[in-house]
Amino acid sequence: MTRLFPILGVAAALLVAGCASPHVSYTSIEVPPTGPRKIEPAATMRSALINEGSGIAKSTRYEGVYWTHNDSGDRARIFPVTLQGETVAMGDGLGIPVKMAENKDWEDIASDHKGNLLIGDFGNNANRRKDLLVYVVPEPDPSHAAQAIAKRAIPFHFPEQKEFPPAARNYDVEAIFVANDTWYVLTKHRADADTCLYRFNSYREDISNPLELVCSFGARGMVTGADSLADGSRVAVLVYDNVWLFEPPSGDVNRLTEGKIYWRPYRLGQCEGICFIDADTLLVTNEEGSMYVIPVTDLIEVQ
């Protein structure tokens, strides 16, 4: 059920939607009373250096390669892995360092479907940060490159956030994806179980880019990752204990919740990474390095 809040009743809109705007839609999605499914890992990342995996992205340049990284506390580096959990040659053996970048709190990684990786340095647990940004990193050759280089750093902010921290800590971010050449992020909430979808309308390096609030929906938990097919026809959203799949009409992500929606709860540990293996298969990873393969057909259609 999608509810469009009018200008009147602003307070009610803010309370339910968890976003500081009465002008966007909030979707409450009814799901069946289904217990979480526990499945076995398809593989485990074998490198002991990947000890707090926080994102996963499929390479668009190198067959069979997936890129991952650690959470805050690690150096600025990425790891190329296979679906079998094996690491591809990693430069000096310690991962591929990303020059011109700093890991303050890397939370997600995505492909722009054009040979670049987007690394989100936007972890914001306390909602105090004013330096959220995304690094643009051309994919290095995982078999030969000694380093990768962040060619661009794109700062951004949420115009609705007026206090640092706000009373409702709903401005953490752990999910970024690209559809139809447009970047999107989803917020991770601590005051409610919703999420807000924001869109990049500019990609300047010299200013903090204001994101545009698109919509909000009841995610039933904290959003920790997301991915999209290049044409936006399918968008996957990961919560700690469930997975969502959206099929926006005509691939228009700005209408994310208006098409078919699929969902299922899972018990897979602290999952923070998700990407498409192909249009019909998802890869989910947790902080401990376990890798789970989930066919889209395993999800339940709820809308």
Side-chain angles (χ1 to χ4, degrees), residues 86-122:
E86 299 172 346
T87 52
V88 185
M90 300 187 304
D92 61 2
L94 300 176
I96 298 178
V98 181
K99 300 300 183 181
M100 308 299 293
E102 179 183 0
N103 184 350
K104 290 186 178 179
D105 194 352
W106 289 8
E107 287 293 354
D108 201 13
I109 186 169
S111 168
D112 70 352
H113 309 292
K114 293 183 175 181
N116 297 304
L117 298 172
L118 306 183
I119 301 175
D121 191 347
F122 43 44

Side-chain angles (χ1 to χ4, degrees), residues 49-126:
L49 299 174
I50 307 172
N51 55 20
E52 197 177 357
S54 190
I56 192 77
K58 183 180 181 180
S59 171
T60 57
R61 297 185 62 188
Y62 302 99
E63 186 68 28
V65 172
Y66 294 79
W67 295 100
T68 189
H69 61 85
N70 285 318
D71 206 330
S72 60
D74 195 16
R75 68 189 72 178
R77 58 181 173 178
I78 53 179
F79 301 90
V81 300
T82 69
L83 283 176
Q84 292 72 43
E86 299 172 346
T87 52
V88 185
M90 300 187 304
D92 61 2
L94 300 176
I96 298 178
V98 181
K99 300 300 183 181
M100 308 299 293
E102 179 183 0
N103 184 350
K104 290 186 178 179
D105 194 352
W106 289 8
E107 287 293 354
D108 201 13
I109 186 169
S111 168
D112 70 352
H113 309 292
K114 293 183 175 181
N116 297 304
L117 298 172
L118 306 183
I119 301 175
D121 191 347
F122 43 44
N124 192 20
N125 290 346

Side-chain angles (χ1 to χ4, degrees), residues 157-222:
H157 66 278
F158 302 106
E160 290 76 22
Q161 184 175 3
K162 307 300 183 183
E163 298 177 326
F164 298 83
R169 291 191 298 158
N170 288 342
Y171 292 98
D172 193 4
V173 194
E174 293 194 8
I176 184 171
F177 66 91
V178 180
N180 298 308
D181 298 326
T182 301
W183 300 4
Y184 296 87
V185 298
L186 287 155
T187 53
K188 178 181 180 180
H189 291 197
R190 286 174 168 77
D192 54 54
D194 300 334
T195 186
C196 296
L197 176 69
Y198 280 87
R199 178 179 67 234
F200 280 77
N201 292 326
S202 59
Y203 305 88
R204 293 178 59 176
E205 296 181 69
D206 60 328
I207 64 168
S208 178
N209 297 271
L211 302 195
E212 182 176 352
L213 178 59
V214 176
C215 67
S216 176
F217 68 92
R220 306 181 70 84
M222 296 181 178

Side-chain angles (χ1 to χ4, degrees), residues 16-34:
V16 178
C19 297
S21 173
H23 307 293
V24 300
S25 65
Y26 173 78
T27 302
S28 177
I29 306 168
E30 295 184 5
V31 299
T34 303

Side-chain angles (χ1 to χ4, degrees), residues 36-37 52-54 71 105 107 123 125 172-175 187-190 192-194 219-226 237-244 263-274 284-288 292 294:
R37 183 194 293 277
E52 197 177 357
S54 190
D71 206 330
D105 194 352
E107 287 293 354
N125 290 346
D172 193 4
V173 194
E174 293 194 8
T187 53
K188 178 181 180 180
H189 291 197
R190 286 174 168 77
D192 54 54
D194 300 334
R220 306 181 70 84
M222 296 181 178
V223 171
T224 59
V237 176
L238 178 67
V239 182
Y240 279 133
D241 56 3
N242 59 81
V243 172
W244 295 91
W263 164 88
R264 183 180 283 277
Y266 290 94
R267 184 179 293 116
L268 308 175
Q270 186 165 324
C271 291
E272 300 206 359
I274 191 169
V284 173
T285 61
N286 66 19
E287 281 197 340
E288 293 72 36
Y292 301 91
I294 300 177

